[in-house]
Amino acid sequence: MRHNQRKELALVLGGARAGKSSYAETLARQGEQTLFVATAEPLDDDLRRRIRAHRARRPASWSTLEEPLELAAAIPAALAGHDTVLLDCLTVWISNLLLAQEHEADAETAILAHAEALLDLYEKLDTRWIVVSNEVGLGVVPATELGRRYRDLLGRVNQLFAARADKVYLMVAGLPLELKGLAAERL
C-alpha cells in the first residue's frame, strides 16, 4: 500500500450507467497494485462487449480474478502482492448466487452468509477494498417473484456492506456523493 494509504472499505452504489465502475477505478488507481475481481460471466454478446470495454479501461498492470460465485474462497489465493481489491460487482455476484440456489428453501440465508464471509475476509486482510453495487431499490417493483427476491436480497447485502464500510458513495449522473460523511455531519 502507498505510504499514505490505509486499509479502508469503500462501497460505490448507484443506478445503471451512473458512473460506478469508472469512479471505483479512479479510487483503485490510488493503490500501487490492484486486484480486479470480476463477477460477470460472458453469457451473451452484450455481456461479452461490456466485459471487453471494462477490460480496455483498466490499467495493464492490474491483475484480474474472474470468479462468479466463491469470492471469499478465491480472493486470498490471488491477493499476493496487491494492496487494493476492486470488486465489480456485488449486483452480479448476488444474481449469480441466487440463480445457482433459486430453488433452495434457505437461499437467502445462504447468500447472506456468503456476504458475511466476504466481509470477514476483508477484516482479516490488510488491504484496501472498493466494492461496486447497484442501488436497485429506487426503481420499478420487479414483476416476478424472483425479481422481487433478488431486489430485496441485494438491498440487504448492500446494507451489510454499507454498515461496515468506511466510505459509501452514491453515484448520480457520474458525480459521487459520500453518504457516511453526510450522515456524520447530521449527528
Side-chain angles (χ1 to χ4, degrees):
M1 231 179 274
R2 285 189 182 165
H3 174 55
N4 61 350
Q5 191 175 353
R6 64 178 177 82
K7 177 181 173 129
E8 175 182 76
L9 175 58
L11 177 62
V12 181
L13 295 167
R17 302 293 161 258
K20 300 176 302 292
S21 293
S22 295
Y23 188 70
E25 290 165 8
T26 298
L27 293 174
R29 284 185 177 90
Q30 297 170 8
E32 291 187 12
Q33 188 59 34
T34 296
L35 173 64
F36 185 91
V37 180
T39 59
E41 294 180 281
L43 301 175
D44 60 32
D45 288 340
D46 180 55
L47 280 171
R48 283 187 281 280
R49 182 187 54 76
R50 289 173 187 246
I51 290 169
R52 277 193 307 273
H54 275 258
R55 284 179 181 155
R57 274 199 330 242
R58 293 194 298 263
S61 62
W62 288 8
S63 302
T64 299
L65 168 64
E66 295 179 351
E67 176 53 51
L69 297 170
E70 300 298 331
L71 297 181
I75 289 173
L79 198 56
H82 296 89
D83 64 348
T84 302
V85 172
L86 171 49
L87 169 56
D88 196 353
C89 69
L90 287 181
T91 313
V92 174
W93 181 54
I94 297 303
S95 174
N96 294 342
L97 290 170
L98 183 57
L99 290 174
Q101 301 177 43
E102 177 181 354
H103 300 294
E104 302 294 325
D106 63 344
E108 285 86 358
T109 301
I111 293 167
L112 290 170
H114 274 277
E116 288 285 359
L118 190 59
L119 284 164
D120 290 345
L121 176 64
Y122 161 76
E123 294 294 341
K124 293 176 189 171
L125 300 172
D126 188 29
T127 51
R128 180 169 172 253
W129 283 35
I130 302 150
V131 178
V132 177
S133 189
N134 284 45
E135 179 52 68
V136 295
L138 299 174
V140 176
V141 174
T144 65
E145 178 188 352
L146 181 60
R148 289 187 296 275
R149 283 176 62 198
Y150 169 71
R151 179 209 49 203
D152 293 350
L153 181 57
L154 181 59
R156 285 194 287 279
V157 170
N158 285 345
Q159 287 182 48
L160 287 173
F161 274 78
R164 302 229 331 238
D166 299 292
K167 293 183 179 174
V168 178
Y169 299 96
L170 176 63
M171 299 299 299
V172 179
L175 300 173
L177 181 62
E178 208 285 298
L179 300 177
K180 283 210 164 179
L182 287 175
E185 289 176 13
R186 302 274 179 188
L187 296 178

